[in-house]
Amino acid sequence: MRAVICRSYGPPEDLVVDEISAPVPAPGELLVRVHSAAVNFPDVLLIAGKYQVRIPTPFTPGSEFAGEVVATGEGTAFGPGARVFGSVMTGAFAEMAVLHSASAAPIPDGIDFAEAAAFGVTYRTAYHALRSIAQVKERDWVVILGAGGGVGLAAVDLAVALNTRVLAAASSPEKLEVCRRRGAEATIDYDREDLKLRIRELTDGNARVIVDPVGGRYSEPALRALGRGGTFVTLGYAAGTIPAIPLNLVLLKGITIRGMEIRTFAGDYPADAARDTAELSQMFAEGKIRPHIGARFPLAEAAAALRHVAERRAIGKVIIDVA
Ligand SMILES: NC(=O)c1ccc[n+]([C@@H]2O[C@H](COP(=O)([O-])OP(=O)(O)OC[C@H]3O[C@@H](n4cnc5c(N)ncnc54)[C@H](OP(=O)(O)O)[C@@H]3O)[C@@H](O)[C@H]2O)c1
């Protein structure tokens, strides 16, 4: 089968597409013919050897995909022909991938492979952040940084679905236009406007929640604009630097800063994770949430797909069409 291979840590352009043997499903695993895979920012970090977890090279990157089951190990919940999607640590940017049956979900009727591949990681991340970590309530002002990106736009969609008031902040009019089309009530172009002042103005000082997958120079002004007793959720540092926040701000405003990581959340909070997953699956199956796919690339151009994400050009999800 053809697969993208990271032979040594480096930029996307160092990736190669080559023929390798298809993986063999172990007991409990599904062998899936991948139709679509989705790019996540951590893929860029993983191939550069800069992610929290270092995968020994060579490996095939890619952490979420959708496709058709072609073979199974013993004791799986899906049989050949089933349309499934799911996430893994690596291996999705290939014609075949293995997935543990317990990590696979059926693709709802009416949803195509690309939408299913685009749905997993970012929507789960955003939903746990909003529902379990920030515990948003209807009509709360929720400020979302990097709102045009994968996690950001998923957070916009879900915060809108939860009937909160969404203030989307991003770096370009094009990204903000997509946020408005998807239900954001107000927007801030944080590379052209004063983030702290505009959050205060637009929410009248009542920002209850900040969702931050960006970090860098955006976090502190956003945190300073959070209303008293609000919650700041730190999800990632796509801007490349981890901000250092003066702790007195937390004290003076009585706010809470919490982190959430998708890899550990279900282990730490199994009941919340199960409830969130069930609610999210229902919204997806009912068609209440449809991921926005901003760009698509063939498998042979996987490097360009990762470059698109690395250079801040992605709007919503970037898909790699495999079959
Ligand atoms: N906590 C978790 O469990 C979890 C799960 C998935 C992802 N993440 C993290 O969440 C972050 C976003 O992931 P994603 O897949 O949504 O990525 P993405 O689609 O690339 O979105 C990242 C956003 O960050 C902003 N950004 C600001 N400076 C940037 C820079 N120098 N380079 C790239 N982007 C920059 C961009 O928005 P503007 O141009 O509008 O500023 C971009 O839309 C990453 O740090 C990722 O590791 C965390």
Side-chain angles (χ1 to χ4, degrees), residues 1 14 34 64 79 99 124 136 149 151 173 177-178 194 209 216 226 231 247 252 264 272 292 311:
M1 67 165 190
D14 287 1
V34 179
E64 60 181 340
L99 174 67
R124 282 209 322 275
V136 297
V151 171
E177 171 57 26
V178 174
D194 184 316
V209 172
L226 188 56
T231 302
L247 266 187
L252 291 170
T264 49
D272 287 351
H292 177 84
E311 287 186 352

Side-chain angles (χ1 to χ4, degrees), residues 39-45 51-52 64 121-122 124-126 145-153 169-172 175-176 190-191 212-216 218 234-240 259-265 308-318:
V39 181
N40 286 285
F41 195 85
D43 299 328
V44 178
L45 301 176
Y51 192 56
Q52 291 104 312
E64 60 181 340
V121 174
T122 53
R124 282 209 322 275
T125 302
L145 308 186
V151 171
L153 204 52
S171 69
S172 75
K175 290 180 180 182
L176 294 174
Y190 55 33
D191 279 355
D212 179 13
V214 181
Y218 305 102
T234 176
L235 292 175
Y237 313 99
M260 197 292 300
E261 202 204 8
I262 192 97
R263 284 184 312 120
T264 49
F265 182 76
H308 195 75
V309 170
E311 287 186 352
R312 215 173 166 177
R313 280 183 271 138
I315 301 187
K317 292 297 294 182
V318 172

